[in-house]
Amino acid sequence: MLKLRGHTYDTDTFLTMAIVNRTPDSFYDKGATWDEGPAFERVRTVVAQGADIVDIGGIKAAPGEEIDAEEEKLRIVDFVAAVRAEFPDLVISVDTWRATVAEAACRAGADVLNDAWGGHDPELAEVAAEYGAALVCTHTGGVTPRTRPHRPAYDDVVQDAIDTTIALAERAVSLGVDPQAILIDPAHDFGKNTWHSLELTRRLDEMTRTGWPVLVSLSNKDFVGETLDAPVDERLTGTLAATAVCAWHGAQVYRVHEVTETRQVLDMVAGIRGLRPPTRTVRGLA
């Protein structure tokens, strides 16, 4: 069972988390939602498309210009408050590894702290406990935020991801975070090479069998691009293929750029697994 902003979801419910980047240099949209107007239109669009969660971030994951905590707050906190005012029931996530930013975002109305850098700031989990926020516990292999992996090595990347994220989740629970408001994320590409990300996808059922809800962030990532030799703007098909595999293995939340396409894949997998009836069934019955 997963609880987000008063909503309760059973383990067979697939959720989409739409990405909204308040950055001028994001790898995928190239700053399309840097300005507040286009960013708000992006929120309205993905909500209309059925996004269950909106994930707002103020710093791109890749190396680049140094962005301190105060600048990160300027990029996201007031925007979170404005989104909350227009969409009072929407589940709002913030993508940050800094506790001070997380606290300001929670005060502005954020419901989920998406700690994409795996507990780099240990006080972030304390913020989640204080404000009753959900928390995403992520595996990054211990890399420093906003650095690219260099020859990462694991005896077993899947077991490392399981051990690390469960340890983060159990620590969060010990601090007072609701255990039903915690997700674990294998973090494709973060602290990993393409072989690692492919193995995590292939063996994702081992993570879902832990009982913790699993979030995956697959959208247009480098492991897709390297597998298919595809540039960033040609990775949708590969992303959706990886999405289908993760859905079959039981991942629950999908952080995505393309909401409509992802929703169709998730609904189709749910239909094949017998978790969702077809929308209509007239073939052979008329």
Side-chain angles (χ1 to χ4, degrees):
M1 198 71 70
L2 176 64
K3 293 182 179 178
L4 303 173
R5 191 172 179 78
H7 305 283
T8 301
Y9 307 95
D10 63 37
T11 56
D12 291 332
T13 302
F14 295 140
L15 306 177
T16 54
M17 172 189 272
I19 299 166
V20 180
N21 291 314
R22 296 303 317 283
T23 63
D25 52 1
S26 55
F27 89 100
Y28 182 69
D29 63 35
K30 310 300 182 186
T33 53
W34 165 233
D35 292 330
E36 185 168 324
F40 231 110
E41 284 307 307
R42 165 73 175 165
V43 172
R44 294 182 181 115
T45 296
V46 297
V47 169
Q49 291 173 340
D52 302 286
I53 308 164
V54 168
D55 188 48
I56 299 167
I59 306 178
K60 73 173 183 177
E65 177 188 358
E66 178 65 25
I67 305 298
D68 64 20
E70 293 309 308
E71 172 63 21
E72 188 181 359
K73 290 178 190 177
L74 287 173
R75 293 180 176 192
I76 67 170
V77 173
D78 287 349
F79 186 72
V80 167
V83 172
R84 170 58 64 226
E86 182 162 336
F87 299 98
D89 296 323
L90 178 65
V91 180
I92 299 175
S93 170
V94 290
D95 179 359
T96 186
W97 75 87
R98 291 171 167 144
T100 57
V101 176
E103 183 173 20
C106 285
R107 289 199 303 268
D111 308 296
V112 181
L113 300 179
N114 181 13
D115 181 11
W117 291 101
H120 182 79
D121 184 344
E123 294 182 5
L124 191 144
E126 297 174 18
V127 173
E130 179 180 355
Y131 287 89
L135 180 67
V136 180
C137 298
T138 306
H139 176 264
T140 64
V143 298
T144 300
R146 303 194 69 201
T147 59
R148 297 190 187 281
H150 178 69
R151 299 189 182 280
Y154 302 93
D155 291 335
D156 183 332
V157 67
V158 177
Q159 193 59 54
D160 201 275
I162 290 170
D163 293 345
T164 299
T165 56
I166 288 180
L168 290 169
E170 290 177 343
R171 176 180 180 270
V173 171
S174 75
L175 293 170
V177 179
D178 184 344
Q180 293 187 322
I182 294 175
L183 301 105
I184 61 174
D185 177 2
H188 292 71
D189 280 4
F190 280 47
K192 302 168 186 73
N193 60 32
T194 288
W195 293 110
H196 293 141
S197 293
L198 291 171
E199 185 166 2
L200 281 162
T201 307
R202 182 167 59 251
R203 295 170 54 196
L204 195 73
D205 58 321
E206 295 175 38
M207 288 198 77
T208 60
R209 285 201 299 268
T210 65
W212 295 97
V214 173
L215 178 150
V216 289
S217 184
L218 310 166
S219 194
N220 301 295
K221 283 196 166 178
D222 284 347
F223 84 98
V224 175
E226 290 192 358
T227 300
L228 301 178
D229 192 19
V232 172
D233 60 352
E234 296 178 13
R235 297 177 183 177
L236 176 58
T237 301
T239 295
L240 296 178
T243 297
V245 172
C246 290
W248 189 260
H249 284 320
Q252 188 162 10
V253 180
Y254 298 78
R255 184 175 181 271
V256 300
H257 296 99
E258 291 90 358
V259 173
T260 299
E261 294 87 343
T262 302
R263 185 74 262 166
Q264 289 182 347
V265 169
L266 296 176
D267 286 349
M268 192 67 200
V269 173
I272 294 168
R273 289 182 60 191
L275 304 175
R276 175 186 184 276
T279 302
R280 63 187 182 95
T281 51
V282 297
R283 180 176 174 81
L285 301 176

